């Protein structure tokens, strides 16, 4: 079954959106298999955003993501990688559609509340970067026959 990595950024945590964000993915029918509130080291932040290291916003992004606790999560389900990104919405909250997390709660691109892996390869590498295998729970919600045909 497909898995993706999601992280509620420090702004989402500070603004009290943890429950609301988790609720959306639960209500959709996806399965939470990893969850932790943690402070992010500079080393982890720089690895996680390594693809952006030459961008002008990189120093500010690392500063921001290490500025307070984040909620790191792994979610499982059919098509969860692409679907989770749709639920998140566009990178810039002002152009993100209403109904998406960023569209509903964000204004600035540098305060866009949540991260989600963008492809199967990044999902795999980000899950391995943020979680050990012992931190992930394999389980089957008993409601799954009511979610999956
Ligand atoms: P994504 O989070 O939608 O995948 P990316 O382009 O991968 O967007 O950028 C990673 C993160 O870097 C964004 O979520 C945002 O927080 C930050 N970011 C991207 N572009 C800008 C920018 O132009 N200014 C400030 N921050 C940016
Ligand atoms: Mg990205």
């Amino acid at each position: 079954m497909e898995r993706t990595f999601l992280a509620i950024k420090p702004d989402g945590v500070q603004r009290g959106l943890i429950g609301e964000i988790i609720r959306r993915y639960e209500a959709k029918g996806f399965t939470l298999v990893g969850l932790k509130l943690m402070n992010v080291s500079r080393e982890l932040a720089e690895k996680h955003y390594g693809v952006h290291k030459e961008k002008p916003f990189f120093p500010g992004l690392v500063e921001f993501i290490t500025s307070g606790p984040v909620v790191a999560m792994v979610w499982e389900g059919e098509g969860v990688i692409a679907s989770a990104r749709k639920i998140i919405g566009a990178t810039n909250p002002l152009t993100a559609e209403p109904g998406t997390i960023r569209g509903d709660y964000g204004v600035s691109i540098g305060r866009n509340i949540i991260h989600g892996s963008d492809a199967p390869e990044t999902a795999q590498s980000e899950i391995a970067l943020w979680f050990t295998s012992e931190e992930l729970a394999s389980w089957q919600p008993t409601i799954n026959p009511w979610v999956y045909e």
Side-chain angles (χ1 to χ4, degrees), residues 48-49 51-52 85 91 102 115-118 126:
H48 175 74
Y49 282 124
V51 68
H52 297 301
R85 291 273 297 189
T91 305
R102 288 169 175 170
H115 166 84
S117 306
D118 60 8
E126 289 172 3

Side-chain angles (χ1 to χ4, degrees), residues 22 54 60 65-66 76 86-88 107 111 118 139 141 146:
I22 290 177
E54 306 304 334
I65 215 75
T66 57
E76 185 176 88
K86 279 198 159 185
I87 291 167
I88 288 170
V107 178
R111 299 287 184 274
D118 60 8
W139 65 293
W146 301 102

